[in-house]
Amino acid sequence: GESVGLHLPTLSVQEGDNSIINCAYSNSASDYFIWYKQESGKGPQFIIDIRSNMDKRQGQRVTVLLNKTVKHLSLQIAATQPGDSAVYFCAEQSGGSQGNLIFGKGTKLSVKP
Amino acid sequence: NAGVTQTPKFRILKIGQSMTLQCTQDMNHNYMYWYRQDPGMGLKLIYYSVGAGITDKGEVPNGYNVSRSTTEDFPLRLELAAPSQTSVYFCASSYNEQFFGPGTRLTVL
């Protein structure tokens, strides 16, 4: 099976609420993690990344949390907006090899107005 | 900068036909990638390149070939199209984070 997966395939939230998208990984050697956003009909777009020597990283309205003990990654989106509706993918990489980025299946986020 | 561009946007092939998916980037990135994305799934790496003249297989290379004669271009070749190759194909390039093109939607009938 895939080493990167997601707990929930779909997530529906009310506009203005916070969203949390989860991801599990199984390769303890993975040292770099990325969240991508993919809107319908478009390619994935980089949101935020985190290296294994960190447990939290913040961007604009987004926060990524990494729990290496349980091999869990999450993406938090504050004050979710309709424009945040998309599929979100986590990806993992090990050993600094840019040719070895493994993607999870994705979580579809729907924002209700 | 145009970023990563892909052509064509859509294509329908008959079984056994061949075609080349084009990918160009203008960011002077050494790393380039080809992924396929099946419906409701994540991306799977087909081939990647760490620089002109250097390519390597990814997770699902069978049925595909690539070449990298320049830094800018990384075409993907399908020699004998099969229905299993029906998918959306994404090209990407990177220095650190990967930048993706808009994709090519391929149907093999």
Side-chain angles (χ1 to χ4, degrees), chain B residues 33 40 42 47 77 80 86 96 99 103 105:
Chain B
Y33 314 80
Y47 272 95
R77 178 84 178 162
L80 291 170
T86 293
N96 285 316
F99 292 88
R105 187 175 295 274

Side-chain angles (χ1 to χ4, degrees), chain A residues 36 38 43-44 89 98-99 101 104, chain B residues 33 37 42 45 90 94-95 98:
Chain A
Y36 285 91
Q38 186 176 24
F89 294 95
Q98 293 198 40
L101 193 63
Chain B
Y33 314 80
Q37 184 176 34
L45 183 65
F90 289 101
S94 73
Y95 177 71
Q98 293 191 21

Side-chain angles (χ1 to χ4, degrees), chain A residues 2 32 34 36 38 41-46 49 51 89 93 96-106, chain B residues 31 33 35 37 40-45 48 57-59 90 94-103 105:
Chain A
E2 294 187 6
Y32 181 54
I34 311 168
Y36 285 91
Q38 186 176 24
K42 296 184 179 180
Q45 178 184 5
F46 173 91
D49 59 0
R51 298 204 174 271
F89 294 95
Q93 180 181 293
S97 170
Q98 293 198 40
N100 198 26
L101 193 63
I102 299 174
F103 284 78
K105 288 183 180 161
Chain B
Y31 283 81
Y33 314 80
Y35 293 91
Q37 184 176 34
M41 302 293 286
L43 283 76
K44 291 188 183 292
L45 183 65
Y48 69 101
K57 296 178 180 179
E59 184 182 357
F90 289 101
S94 73
Y95 177 71
N96 285 316
E97 68 192 70
Q98 293 191 21
F99 292 88
F100 286 81
R105 187 175 295 274

Side-chain angles (χ1 to χ4, degrees), chain A residues 13-95:
Chain A
V13 300
Q14 203 71 35
E15 181 179 359
D17 287 351
N18 296 335
S19 302
I20 299 176
I21 301 171
N22 295 305
C23 177
Y25 66 95
S26 59
N27 184 0
S28 57
S30 293
D31 55 10
Y32 181 54
F33 304 88
I34 311 168
W35 281 101
Y36 285 91
K37 173 186 180 183
Q38 186 176 24
E39 297 174 279
S40 181
K42 296 184 179 180
Q45 178 184 5
F46 173 91
I47 303 173
I48 192 167
D49 59 0
I50 189 167
R51 298 204 174 271
S52 58
N53 60 352
M54 303 172 69
D55 53 21
K56 181 179 181 179
R57 190 158 189 232
Q58 287 185 292
Q60 188 175 14
R61 281 201 308 119
V62 295
T63 300
V64 55
L65 298 177
L66 175 62
N67 185 331
K68 294 181 287 293
T69 302
V70 295
K71 298 194 189 98
H72 184 267
L73 190 69
S74 69
L75 176 70
Q76 300 179 358
I77 304 174
T80 314
Q81 303 168 0
D84 294 327
S85 294
V87 177
Y88 290 81
F89 294 95
C90 64
E92 64 174 315
Q93 180 181 293
S94 61

Side-chain angles (χ1 to χ4, degrees), chain B residues 45-58:
Chain B
L45 183 65
I46 305 171
Y47 272 95
Y48 69 101
S49 169
V50 301
I54 306 170
T55 63
D56 208 347
K57 296 178 180 179

Side-chain angles (χ1 to χ4, degrees), chain B:
Chain B
N1 287 352
V4 180
T5 58
Q6 293 182 239
T7 57
K9 284 185 169 50
F10 303 94
R11 185 73 185 267
I12 298 175
L13 285 180
K14 294 182 179 179
I15 294 172
Q17 286 185 319
S18 61
M19 77 164 293
T20 299
L21 284 68
Q22 301 292 345
C23 175
T24 300
Q25 54 94 7
D26 62 359
M27 297 172 281
N28 202 33
H29 289 162
N30 283 330
Y31 283 81
M32 294 189 74
Y33 314 80
W34 274 106
Y35 293 91
R36 60 176 286 171
Q37 184 176 34
D38 297 329
M41 302 293 286
L43 283 76
K44 291 188 183 292
L45 183 65
I46 305 171
Y47 272 95
Y48 69 101
S49 169
V50 301
I54 306 170
T55 63
D56 208 347
K57 296 178 180 179
E59 184 182 357
V60 290
N62 291 344
Y64 307 95
N65 279 301
V66 293
S67 59
R68 184 93 182 272
S69 56
T70 66
T71 299
E72 295 78 19
D73 300 306
F74 190 40
L76 178 72
R77 178 84 178 162
L78 284 71
E79 291 294 350
L80 291 170
S84 61
Q85 293 178 305
T86 293
S87 191
V88 181
Y89 291 83
F90 289 101
C91 178
S93 73
S94 73
Y95 177 71
N96 285 316
E97 68 192 70
Q98 293 191 21
F99 292 88
F100 286 81
T104 293
R105 187 175 295 274
L106 176 67
T107 302
V108 182
L109 300 174

